[in-house]
Amino acid sequence: LDLNNPAPRCPVILLLDTSGSMSGAPIKELNAGLKQFIQETSNDEAASMSVELEVITFNTQVNIAMPFTPICDVEKNPAPLTTYGITSMGKALSIAADELKKRRQIYQDNGISSYKPWVVLMTDGCPNDNWEAPAAKMRALAEQNRITFVGVEIGKGVDHATMCKIMPAVN
């Protein structure tokens, strides 16, 4: 945590579906999206001082692929993600909620102001675990205006109906 940076922080978590259903064109699209997000955020003057990025991948396992890191310190050409297993989206949403809570506490403990956190879910919307309760919790945080929760549907086989259940209603 850079205590010398005077900018308010914006914690951003990318939740990236790397399950087997994302193989082929979807994982290529996901990798391109990740690279584009990192490059555009790094190149934005305000964002480059404020955004702290965490990347959580989920398949059969949920993995914090990159803990919170200032966007200016993130590798601009990340290693390509690969696919495997089932879609543990519920567990990933739960871990993301816990990670945000911990990060905001670190800011508070160190007197660092912060912007509303962002959670960006990139998936084909086909969870295999108990996702309903964790999705409802994340959706409620967004509907209470405590986070910005964005869903990016990837691939031709997207389960749009499930994504509509996961994401907050748009105003």
Side-chain angles (χ1 to χ4, degrees), residues 18-143:
T18 57
S19 65
S21 64
M22 294 286 290
S23 63
I27 196 69
K28 288 180 183 155
E29 190 178 329
L30 181 66
N31 279 309
L34 173 60
K35 190 173 180 177
Q36 181 179 357
F37 178 88
I38 291 169
Q39 290 176 343
E40 288 184 13
T41 308
S42 300
N43 291 339
D44 181 278
E45 190 174 346
S48 69
M49 295 298 292
S50 295
V51 169
E52 293 187 333
L53 180 65
E54 179 164 285
V55 176
I56 299 175
T57 58
F58 59 97
N59 48 51
T60 302
Q61 303 292 317
V62 177
N63 180 38
I64 298 175
M66 184 183 73
F68 280 109
T69 304
I71 194 70
C72 58
D73 294 338
V74 173
E75 171 60 43
K76 305 297 182 274
N77 291 300
L81 300 168
T82 57
T83 59
Y84 166 79
I86 64 167
T87 310
S88 301
M89 187 187 298
K91 186 174 182 191
L93 288 165
S94 292
I95 289 172
D98 291 345
E99 287 291 302
L100 278 181
K101 188 174 182 181
K102 285 191 266 185
R103 195 63 181 178
R104 301 226 50 203
Q105 189 63 53
I106 289 170
Y107 294 158
Q108 191 174 4
D109 292 349
N110 288 283
I112 297 170
S113 61
S114 63
Y115 296 110
K116 182 169 51 172
W118 282 64
V119 176
V120 181
L121 173 64
M122 299 174 143
T123 180
D124 60 6
C126 301
N128 297 115
D129 62 351
N130 294 323
W131 57 271
E132 291 91 344
K137 181 179 180 183
M138 195 68 74
R139 192 173 54 252
L141 289 171
E143 289 169 353

Side-chain angles (χ1 to χ4, degrees), residues 1-17:
L1 185 64
D2 181 3
L3 296 176
N4 295 318
N5 178 359
R9 307 307 157 79
C10 182
V12 176
I13 295 181
L14 297 182
L15 285 172
L16 307 179
D17 182 348

Side-chain angles (χ1 to χ4, degrees), residues 79 114 158 160:
S114 63
V158 167
H160 183 71

